[in-house]
Amino acid sequence: MLSALSIRDVVLIEALDLDFGPGLGALTGETGAGKSILLDALGLALGARADSGLVRNGAQQAVVTASFDLPDDHEAAELLVENGLEAEPGEPLVIRRIVKADGGSRATVNGQPASAALLKELAPHLVEIHGQHDDRGLLNPRGHRALLDAFGRIDTQTAANAHRAWRAAEERLAGAVADLENAARDREWLEHAVAELNALAAEAGEEEALSTARADMQKGARLAEDLEAVTGHLDGSEGGAAQLRQAARRLDRIAGEHPLLAEALEALDRAVIEAGEAEDRLTAAKEALAFDPDRLEEAETRLFELRAMARKHRVEPDALPALAAELSERLGRIEAGGEGIARLEAEAAAARAAYLDAATALTEARGTAAARLDAAVAAELPPLKLDAARFRTAVEPLAEAQWGPAGRDRVEFEISTNPGAPFAPLVKIASGGELSRFILALKVALAEEGAARTMIFDEIDRGVGGAVASAIGERLTRLAARAQLLVVTHSPQVAARANAHWLIAKSHDGTVTRTGVTALDATGRREEIARMLSGAAVTDEARAQAARLLEAA
């Protein structure tokens, strides 16, 4: 609800502070008094273009501050949080807009800097302004589907969930197809690589073992002569080992003759044993370092193949077995990919069918709600002097490319103003007065579904009077039971029904013209309504008629 509006130096308004309450509020005054300035000022706070022409002559800047009392869970609070601004629970939402005479402007929301774009985004959640040339709100077809859904209390979540599931299934399918296409382009390479790796049949640790064996054989070739010479010194009847054993046998026969001979025999026995161990190790070394040209060539060839394959695939030789397994798995996925695609296609088809079922149910529900809304609006038209007009809610199918979470329907409110005339959008064929009355009829029929908590009607009663004006007043009163309404009016029948009444008037001090707004008490209201009835000269009869209107309201 709009709770307060403060205006400084806007056109003819020097300083103005207004407090608003719930219900229906009327703003009246003579033509040209400046009622539009109030709406321009409020529009500035709601993100309208910052025109330096709004700054009062002689002032450096114009300032408008609008305060709104909103529930803690209001969507405006969520919007502020999304934009990084703080919204204090229980505190009013305060929008301040400053326009400088040189054309610059700035805005704050709850004292925090904000952009004009954010103000525009907040505006439809705070105030609806319906005027002669308004192209927003009920006149904007983009909002008609949501209004119809709210009117019919239609479940749209089922279709939204089904659409989300369908889109997700389609994305999975598209991703799998793309992966398969990319992999298929590599299939020939993969087949060749897997065949090469499988033919090579590399084993983990094989490169190190081959490298060690090759090095040993190369050492054996270099040490062969020395090894043969050492073996010659030890082997044979004349070799060192045989001589040691013969010496030990002869010493054994005489060792008992003297302790030193026994000790010498012990040492010689140890030498025989060590010589035997040396012979064993020498034999083992000769076997390990045995030089076989064929074996060396085989080892070097295998080692070259392993290292060449590793360089080709940019891995270490020990990683070749794992690489072979990985590429084989990729190749296997390609060969089995058709089965996976078929499964994902089936899932996407099932999800699409589920969405179509939900969207069809949504279309049927909208058709039923549209018939109810058409009947409700039709009942409101005759009292508003729109007897010849017809209203319909067009529910038409969208192209598949436009299907979405809200279903596959386009919804638009249309009218035909004369018998036999074709239906067309409201804004295209209704005159100013008719348009305002159509909006009022729609608002009453929709029972404020989807509306902001504050609605402003600008001269909705233009060009009508008598019973029609009374019908407009009665419907505004009904709407005001659900929301805050402010109406700029020239109709005494409408003004008489207001819960609060403000008079807008110009004043002159000889050099400066100012627009002021006065909150009227009971006596002031009767006098203003009498003026609206009789014109410039207020008669006693007009005062009596004004009193009757106020009593009837």
Side-chain angles (χ1 to χ4, degrees), residues 334-398:
I334 293 175
E335 293 170 348
E339 298 177 5
I341 295 296
R343 176 179 55 80
L344 290 174
E345 285 176 340
E347 291 177 1
R352 185 180 189 274
Y355 171 72
L356 287 176
D357 288 344
T360 299
L362 199 53
T363 299
E364 293 173 353
R366 283 172 176 153
T368 301
R372 287 177 45 226
L373 178 59
D374 293 351
V377 174
E380 297 295 331
L381 297 181
L384 297 175
K385 203 176 180 180
L386 295 169
D387 315 58
R390 292 176 298 152
F391 171 88
R392 77 174 181 188
T393 306
V395 181
E396 299 175 349
L398 291 168

Side-chain angles (χ1 to χ4, degrees), residues 213-263:
R214 183 184 68 165
D216 288 345
M217 283 189 285
Q218 288 172 337
K219 289 178 184 177
R222 189 175 69 250
L223 301 175
E225 185 178 346
D226 292 330
L227 289 174
E228 286 300 326
V230 172
T231 300
H233 287 305
L234 291 175
D235 288 347
S237 59
E238 299 298 326
Q243 294 294 324
L244 283 173
R245 283 190 288 272
Q246 288 179 10
R249 282 195 295 274
R250 294 194 68 172
L251 184 58
D252 182 52
R253 289 195 296 268
I254 63 174
E257 300 298 328
H258 193 280
L260 289 176
L261 293 176
E263 291 177 7

